[in-house]
Amino acid sequence: MSDLPSVARLKSRVAGMFAACVMSVGAFLCAAAPAHALIEIDITQGNVEPMPIALPSFTAEGGDPKLSADMTAVISADLKRSGLFLPLDPASFIQTNMGVSTTPRFGDWRTIGAQALVSGSVVKQNDGRLRAEFRLWDVFASEQMLGQQFYTTPENWRRLAHIIADAIYERLTGEKGYFDTRIVYVDETGPKDKRMKRLAIMDQDGFNVRYLTRGDDLVLTPRFSPTTQEITYMSYGGAEPSVYLLNIETGQREIVGNFPGMTFAPRFSPDGQKVVMSLEQGGNANIFTMDLRSRKTTRLTNTAAIDTSPSFSPDGSQVVFESDRGGTQQLYVMNSDGSNAQRISFGPGRYSTPVWSPRGDLIAFTKQHQGRFMIGVMKPDGKGERILTEGYHNEGPAWAPNGRVLVFFRDTPGANGGPQVWTVDLTGYNEQRIQTPAFASDPSWSPLID
């Protein structure tokens, strides 16, 4: 279909050059050189045929074989979860004991249907750090595509595995990966009519859950900054909701303000310097921006309606929001100064919680129609609407930083039911639940970790 974005054809050229990379706890650097062969992944609106990829367990080379195997398993799981790759069963491997310095017997890997091959090793050095390296091979071209080396502390091994998965993903698709990221959400425990809600954060695959608040106060709608590891969220510690700004790394929290009548936490501007929000005054709700440095607010809409759920375009020039100014909940786009508001949703049902893709090509939304709750996307001009998933109660989409996957929450009915976090990609075929220790709602995806 013509309305699928440029993800429809992703290409990567094979490299025959080994590029060394070094990773500290905070950052890593890498490079690769193009060559002549070509591996191609086609993504259409129909079912995607994932690329068969072989990932023999990284060798330990005198280190911890379990750690090497666990790292390989995380990399394999990341790639499989993307829906673009099919890790092959290790039982099918003909060539075994595949070291990082071993030249593959490419015929053996072609025999089992592998198109790409990853070999690697993990070594614990005398200084206590881990040294991990891997090579990505094009099986058909019988050439190396990429090689990287990393150093980190042993406790950072899961993150290192995500970074390696990102490098493989990017090399084979031409798109940035999203595995070295985190998701903040609202953890919910207790009876359905008296839930304790606290902020929690986890790796994008559901591991390393950490709680950011104690549950003393009700918390709602955390929103990640697109540029930093900071979030805004709402807290009902008193009679009126307060909005806080929380630094994930330092734990430092500051109050943005008290906002009676606010129902959703603000969203950040693309540069992280402002937030856009909806405030109720005199029975009407209108859109405002606030400069986080000066705390100055600017009113963008002034209607006798409920304008809410605003979200900036990635270039900051426009804002999408929902409004009932036309009689029902619909989506509108206006300039960032509040001018030229235009309705963009015209399908049956009610539209809400719009969120602009970080790529700028799509707007995600929640849609309610005939008792069903749907997560969908449309172009910024309203064309090309597509429903990706629907169910009893789906709500609150948020984008992965590469703009190819959405996270949302789905409630389940009944006395013992509750919300769970799910992801779905732009094809709508790759839908997966992220396991959490308890019920979970209002997820928001971080940018890539520095």
Side-chain angles (χ1 to χ4, degrees):
M1 297 290 290
S2 60
D3 62 338
L4 194 70
S6 59
V7 71
R9 201 160 182 84
L10 305 177
K11 300 179 180 179
S12 175
R13 294 193 178 276
V14 177
M17 172 183 178
F18 186 84
C21 293
V22 179
M23 187 200 83
S24 66
V25 172
F28 71 101
L29 303 172
C30 59
H36 58 277
L38 182 69
I39 281 184
E40 188 176 281
I41 297 178
D42 290 329
I43 302 175
T44 67
Q45 191 171 329
N47 203 359
V48 177
E49 190 68 30
M51 173 187 288
I53 185 170
L55 293 105
S57 184
F58 283 17
T59 60
E61 297 189 11
D64 183 352
K66 182 180 185 304
L67 176 61
S68 299
D70 288 346
M71 281 190 61
T72 310
V74 171
I75 297 166
S76 178
D78 280 347
L79 296 174
K80 182 178 181 180
R81 201 164 46 252
S82 75
L84 300 182
F85 300 95
L86 177 63
L88 297 176
D89 185 352
S92 68
F93 297 170
I94 301 171
Q95 183 178 12
T96 57
N97 299 320
M98 182 73 190
V100 71
S101 300
T102 305
T103 300
R105 298 198 301 264
F106 292 105
D108 290 351
W109 298 103
R110 284 192 286 269
T111 297
I112 66 171
Q115 295 182 25
L117 167 67
V118 179
S119 60
S121 69
V122 182
V123 180
K124 189 171 183 179
Q125 300 192 131
N126 292 334
D127 62 3
R129 293 185 304 164
L130 294 180
R131 186 186 80 243
E133 58 182 296
F134 79 95
R135 295 187 181 193
L136 174 64
W137 304 87
D138 181 344
V139 173
F140 290 152
S142 302
E143 292 187 25
Q144 181 177 302
M145 301 178 69
L146 180 65
Q148 295 183 351
Q149 187 176 88
F150 304 88
Y151 295 88
T152 190
T153 54
E155 62 271 16
N156 211 30
W157 71 269
R158 285 194 70 91
R159 186 182 170 204
L160 176 54
H162 292 317
I163 289 173
I164 291 173
D166 275 335
I168 295 168
Y169 180 99
E170 183 173 358
R171 193 69 191 89
L172 290 172
T173 69
E175 298 281 344
K176 284 286 187 183
Y178 58 92
F179 306 122
D180 185 29
T181 56
R182 297 178 288 197
I183 293 173
V184 67
Y185 66 97
V186 176
D187 173 89
E188 301 189 17
T189 55
K192 199 165 188 176
D193 60 348
K194 194 178 180 181
R195 288 270 163 83
M196 181 178 76
K197 296 187 177 185
R198 53 183 173 169
L199 288 186
I201 192 168
M202 61 184 171
D203 295 349
Q204 53 77 30
D205 59 355
F207 286 82
N208 292 330
V209 173
R210 178 163 58 96
Y211 298 100
L212 304 176
T213 60
R214 297 181 300 181
D216 298 333
D217 301 325
L218 177 68
V219 293
L220 296 171
T221 58
R223 315 292 200 199
F224 250 111
S225 166
T227 59
T228 63
Q229 298 295 313
E230 289 186 317
I231 61 169
T232 62
Y233 68 94
M234 289 178 58
S235 176
Y236 281 82
E240 297 179 348
S242 300
V243 173
Y244 289 91
L245 184 66
L246 175 67
N247 186 300
I248 298 298
E249 303 299 338
T250 66
Q252 181 178 351
R253 187 179 78 160
E254 62 179 293
I255 190 167
V256 176
N258 297 317
F259 301 102
M262 179 180 281
T263 54
F264 294 96
R267 291 193 184 275
F268 286 90
S269 61
D271 61 6
Q273 300 301 309
K274 294 191 297 184
V275 292
V276 62
M277 54 192 174
S278 174
L279 299 178
E280 182 182 351
Q281 296 177 345
N284 301 328
N286 284 284
I287 309 296
F288 294 78
T289 59
M290 172 184 281
D291 186 298
L292 289 174
R293 293 163 296 188
S294 66
R295 297 297 199 263
K296 178 183 177 182
T297 60
T298 302
R299 185 169 185 157
L300 301 186
T301 65
N302 189 7
T303 64
I306 298 176
D307 298 338
T308 188
S309 298
S311 172
F312 274 107
S313 63
D315 65 1
S317 66
Q318 294 179 295
V319 173
V320 63
F321 62 101
E322 68 176 84
S323 177
D324 65 354
R325 62 182 65 186
T328 61
Q329 284 176 279
Q330 299 294 331
L331 304 186
Y332 292 77
V333 167
M334 63 181 171
N335 295 332
S336 58
D337 63 359
S339 63
N340 195 31
Q342 301 288 328
R343 179 175 166 178
I344 63 169
S345 61
F346 293 93
R350 294 181 291 166
Y351 295 76
S352 61
T353 65
V355 189
W356 218 303
S357 165
R359 299 175 62 89
D361 55 348
L362 293 170
I363 292 170
F365 55 84
T366 302
K367 181 177 179 178
Q368 186 178 0
H369 181 55
Q370 295 181 339
R372 306 292 285 178
F373 285 80
M374 296 160 268
I375 303 295
V377 293
M378 66 174 65
K379 293 182 179 180
D381 61 3
K383 296 178 181 177
E385 178 181 325
R386 290 187 291 115
I387 300 302
L388 303 180
T389 185
E390 62 178 273
Y392 164 73
H393 188 174
N394 298 324
E395 195 173 347
W399 291 94
N402 70 350
R404 297 308 185 198
V405 182
L406 286 161
V407 64
F408 63 97
F409 69 98
R410 170 177 292 157
D411 213 341
T412 53
N416 297 320
Q420 302 166 343
V421 175
W422 292 75
T423 62
V424 63
D425 69 6
L426 289 181
T427 68
Y429 286 92
N430 185 29
E431 182 178 307
Q432 300 185 40
R433 181 186 169 193
I434 300 178
Q435 297 291 334
T436 52
F439 290 129
S441 62
D442 288 326
S444 180
W445 217 311
S446 79
L448 288 172
I449 302 173
D450 294 332

